[in-house]
Amino acid sequence: TKTDLPKFESRGFKKVNVSFPSFTYRTDNTKAVGVVYSGGWDSTLLMVRNLEAGKLVQPIWFNFANDEPLRHIGHLILKNRYGKFLLPPIDMGNFYSSADFENNCCGQQAYIHFALGFLNIDSLMKLSEIQIGYVMNDDAISFLDELRKLTKTHFKIQHKAIVPVQYPLSQLSRGE
């Protein structure tokens, strides 16, 4: 089976032939857990924990610089392993910062929480919650209540379903 992967160059990886068999998605009425997925360690751990628990997972992608190759490869691996429990991702689009955009601390986190309010009502109705993989010492940890309120307020303003935002890894250190 031919698999299209994003192009990237690395001198540190050995070439390995991998194929991904076809799979089917679940079609029952089980609500999914939305997981903000970058392809990094924290969001991958969050995805795996939910998938290993047999939960239906809805990845939510934000296209920040340098995330795309790792996220796509990670998603293909997870899809191969967990098949029907992993839904096709919701792609929230590209985020670019210009020279006039201030993004020293928590800019990305605030953007993610605000942008979650733009999820369409059909997607929201299929989610039991939205999880974000912040761990101890992340810049956002001190602002979780404010960030959660930002998303909730955005849902209210648009008269949408309010889906709770959770941070299941916030008590873990990066080393754990």
Side-chain angles (χ1 to χ4, degrees):
T1 305
K2 183 178 183 286
T3 302
D4 293 321
L5 294 174
K7 306 257 186 276
F8 70 99
E9 292 182 27
S10 174
R11 296 180 236 286
F13 293 108
K14 183 173 96 174
K15 185 176 180 180
V16 178
N17 290 324
V18 178
S19 65
F20 295 96
S22 61
F23 64 95
T24 57
Y25 294 110
R26 287 174 62 143
T27 56
D28 59 25
N29 290 326
T30 303
K31 286 203 172 197
V33 174
V35 176
V36 174
Y37 181 62
S38 67
W41 288 107
D42 304 333
S43 64
T44 300
L45 174 62
L46 197 52
M47 294 273 283
V48 169
R49 280 186 166 190
N50 281 290
L51 291 163
E52 285 290 323
K55 295 180 183 177
L56 187 62
V57 175
Q58 174 67 73
I60 302 169
W61 294 359
F62 291 86
N63 294 318
F64 293 101
N66 302 321
D67 283 351
E68 190 173 356
L70 185 61
R71 184 183 57 240
H72 279 288
I73 291 167
H75 186 259
L76 284 172
I77 292 167
L78 292 170
K79 186 167 59 171
N80 182 52
R81 168 120 187 189
Y82 298 101
K84 64 184 180 178
F85 291 99
L86 187 61
L87 297 173
I90 296 172
D91 190 337
M92 296 299 289
N94 295 318
F95 177 72
Y96 301 103
S97 60
S98 68
D100 294 333
F101 183 78
E102 183 64 40
N103 192 12
N104 289 336
C105 174
C106 296
Q108 191 178 87
Q109 293 88 339
Y111 173 78
I112 286 169
H113 284 77
F114 179 71
L116 287 171
F118 289 105
L119 284 167
N120 69 51
I121 190 67
D122 291 335
S123 295
L124 287 172
M125 295 304 291
K126 295 175 184 175
L127 300 178
S128 60
E129 65 182 303
I130 297 170
Q131 296 180 0
I132 303 175
Y134 299 140
V135 296
M136 261 189 250
N137 297 328
D138 275 343
D139 290 338
I141 290 293
S142 300
F143 304 101
L144 295 184
D145 288 338
E146 291 85 356
L147 291 168
R148 187 181 287 120
K149 286 177 188 173
L150 177 61
T151 302
K152 187 175 180 179
T153 300
H154 199 172
F155 287 154
K156 280 184 180 181
I157 289 170
Q158 296 190 51
H159 306 288
K160 291 186 177 181
I162 296 176
V163 177
V165 178
Q166 305 296 334
Y167 311 95
L169 305 179
S170 63
Q171 299 300 310
L172 291 177
S173 67
R174 176 111 332 113
E176 291 176 272

